[in-house]
Amino acid sequence: MLEQLHLLTGDSEASLAHAMMVRIVEVRKASPGFVEDVECPASYKNILSLDWSCNVLVEAALPACKALDDIVTLKQSIAVAAQQGQPQHKTHGSTLDHSLSETVRIALEERLREKERELIDVLVEKETTDVLDLCGLGTLTTAWDKFQKGALVQVEGMTMASYPGLTPDEVESAMKEFYSSLYSPPIPSFENTIKDPTLRKLARTKIAQCVCDKYSALYEAMSRPDKGGYENLNFLGHTPQQVRTLFTV
């Protein structure tokens, strides 16, 4: 259903689910049919509950979430159902509670957190590759990965210094470029792609951490005579800890 509406309207499945959830809550608040509890079969009572509506809409939209902002929208849907789904009608002096149950809310929020982590990991992996290229470490990390994968079939005693892409001149040039970027890391701002400031900062921080991890791995390997094989390590101008301090968002 949501996929068909998405094709017709161009709106994301998450935004469509949110609009439906808001409308359901508004109708429940205005409808006199929800003022009093009426005995009815359990199957109908279940379908009429906000638990059922919210669960169906969130689960239907979740697989189609491709951006972190979609997750934020679905979180807002849950908040609408949990906080605004309580009509201000009273029966015999007590207000009826027709809001989202705590059990369903917690379960849905956990599902959203799982999807959120998944989307962040995908985004961080892609953007880390781009940032490594922009700051000068891209060619080194690519060559380093190839060196590691081919370690079992290489000539015995072969070191990084003699491997294409990791020669002293190539490393020195790449490190100079990388060090020049430390005071202004080329990490994307995500201002136009991630509206939530907390998620935006999380994604940028993870990218910085991944770049620093790559540098740390290179630094440690190059510093080992049996693996690096470099006669002079003057091109390593900063320790991994120094880089972590400088390469921040």
Side-chain angles (χ1 to χ4, degrees):
M1 177 186 67
L2 290 179
E3 183 180 0
Q4 293 175 335
L5 287 175
H6 163 66
L7 294 175
L8 288 172
T9 65
D11 295 330
S12 70
E13 285 86 344
S15 63
L16 290 169
H18 179 66
M20 291 181 186
M21 194 70 253
V22 170
R23 182 58 178 158
I24 289 172
V25 169
E26 289 176 346
V27 169
R28 288 174 63 92
K29 280 185 175 182
S31 175
F34 288 98
V35 174
E36 298 186 19
D37 287 324
V38 179
E39 287 298 326
C40 64
S43 58
Y44 292 105
K45 192 171 185 179
N46 180 50
I47 294 175
L48 290 171
S49 69
L50 274 180
D51 283 358
W52 186 88
S53 301
C54 192
N55 188 69
V56 167
L57 288 172
V58 171
E59 290 291 351
L62 198 55
C65 289
K66 298 295 187 295
L68 289 169
D69 282 342
D70 290 334
I71 301 298
V72 173
T73 300
L74 291 181
K75 286 182 178 179
Q76 292 171 346
S77 300
I78 295 174
V80 167
Q83 299 174 10
Q84 300 179 16
Q86 300 181 16
Q88 300 301 311
H89 304 299
K90 293 186 178 180
T91 303
H92 305 303
S94 62
T95 302
L96 295 175
D97 183 7
H98 294 287
S99 62
L100 188 69
S101 71
E102 189 75 359
T103 301
V104 172
R105 181 187 65 78
I106 292 174
L108 289 177
E109 287 179 346
E110 178 57 33
R111 292 276 286 123
L112 292 184
R113 279 193 291 270
E114 291 175 3
K115 187 66 174 181
E116 185 176 84
R117 288 191 290 266
E118 177 185 322
L119 291 175
I120 288 177
D121 288 343
V122 171
L123 177 66
V124 168
E125 181 178 2
K126 176 186 178 301
E127 294 296 336
T128 296
T129 300
D130 293 342
V131 172
L132 286 169
D133 288 337
L134 289 172
C135 70
L137 286 185
T139 54
L140 290 187
T141 55
T142 299
W144 167 234
D145 289 340
K146 291 180 179 179
F147 177 82
Q148 289 182 296
K149 291 177 182 178
L152 297 178
V153 295
Q154 290 168 5
V155 177
E156 184 178 355
M158 185 177 186
T159 60
M160 296 170 66
S162 59
Y163 193 83
L166 296 172
T167 63
D169 289 342
E170 289 170 313
V171 173
E172 182 176 5
S173 176
M175 287 301 179
K176 284 182 178 178
E177 184 178 354
F178 176 62
Y179 293 148
S180 68
S181 73
L182 290 179
Y183 298 95
S184 183
I187 301 175
S189 65
F190 298 123
E191 290 287 346
N192 297 323
T193 54
I194 304 177
K195 297 176 183 177
D196 185 276
T198 302
L199 292 180
R200 188 161 59 236
K201 183 176 181 180
L202 176 61
R204 300 184 75 229
T205 299
K206 280 180 171 288
I207 292 171
Q209 290 173 344
C210 287
V211 172
C212 291
D213 288 344
K214 289 287 187 180
Y215 176 81
S216 180
L218 284 169
Y219 185 97
E220 292 175 6
M222 290 176 179
S223 299
R224 290 176 51 184
D226 61 323
K227 180 171 289 188
Y230 298 98
E231 294 182 2
N232 191 326
L233 294 176
N234 287 340
F235 51 73
L236 294 178
H238 293 283
T239 65
Q241 185 56 49
Q242 290 172 330
V243 168
R244 291 186 190 279
T245 299
L246 296 171
F247 201 87
T248 57
V249 297

